[in-house]
Amino acid sequence: LMRDLLAEDGSIYVHCDWRVSGYLRNLLDEVFGSKGFASEVIWKRTTSHAQKQSFGLVHDYLFYYRKSAEKFIWNAQFEPHSQEHIDKYYSNKDEKGRRYALDNLTAEGAGPARIFFGKSLEPPSGTHWRYSQENIDKLSKEGLIVMTSNDRPRYKRYLDTLQGRVVSALWDDLPNVNSQAIEAVGYPTQKPEALLERIINASSNENDIVADFFCGSGTTLAVAEKLNRKWIGSDLGKFAIHTTRKRMIGVQRALKKAGKDFRAFEILNLGKYERAHYIGVNLNLREEEQKK
């Protein structure tokens, strides 16, 4: 059902722990096809546990699938470089104190010679210069290509021109919500807003629609509203709906206080959370279409 509701360039993230990760991966392959698989994100949500007979289970999984393997939204996410990385790779400083690294100018695959500061230089065997002659001339004029002592050209990459390190599929920088956290609402499975912020920023743009069909404490909806996305949330639990409603009112008030726009929202109840109202729902829309 969720697959059918997705836009053609839409994506889905399914969160689970070790108990069902193997089953869910197979089910998602069946629904979205193996080509729909994009990433298996490992989220380190807690610190080490003292488990005597096995390795500590400190992580959960986020299976990221796309409805289409060709058409999708993707915005790379970045995190700050560690001081250790900066000290190791950006140890050079120019006369203004700006940190920089000298990067390789070649890439795999043979290519022709280029002119650097009036001298024709062949790339090392089996490689080619990354830039065209026009771009080499432009970068040289801007002082971004320098010659080393052994007469090899290098690209001067300034640290302050980078967005940071591209986020990989291992997320160990987003701790879980503890009872003392400002965003804590007392919901047992509440996720940190930073987790949903990364997901929503990566796979949607402003004014897109974000849906969470197991919205719990409303983290997805709260973050979507703050990031100027439209949203839909649902849950079978009355406590979840009341918690989310209260939270979204709080988000509205905070945005209003900050002088920012916010949307009104509506709550629609299907019955009174009674099982009889949803047990007869047809979960396979394609089967119904085929009958028509």
Side-chain angles (χ1 to χ4, degrees), residues 183 193 197 206 219-229 231 247-248 250-252 254-255 260-261 263:
E183 65 189 75
E193 291 195 4
E197 184 177 336
E206 288 197 20
T219 303
T220 302
L221 314 187
V223 174
E225 182 67 28
K226 293 175 184 178
L227 295 178
N228 195 29
R229 270 69 165 174
W231 49 266
R247 186 172 185 176
M248 294 312 301
V251 171
Q252 288 179 327
L255 290 172
K260 298 179 180 179
D261 292 335
R263 297 181 175 91

Side-chain angles (χ1 to χ4, degrees), residues 171-207:
W171 297 359
D172 58 359
D173 59 331
L174 305 174
N176 208 357
V177 180
N178 62 55
S179 59
Q180 305 304 312
I182 296 175
E183 65 189 75
V185 296
Y187 198 88
T189 58
Q190 182 182 352
K191 304 298 182 295
E193 291 195 4
L195 180 75
L196 274 301
E197 184 177 336
R198 180 172 291 173
I199 290 170
I200 291 172
N201 276 328
S203 294
S204 71
N205 298 317
E206 288 197 20
N207 289 312

Side-chain angles (χ1 to χ4, degrees), residues 47-58:
T47 54
S48 298
H49 292 306
Q51 291 182 221
K52 295 181 179 180
Q53 297 181 338
S54 67
F55 297 110
L57 299 169
V58 298

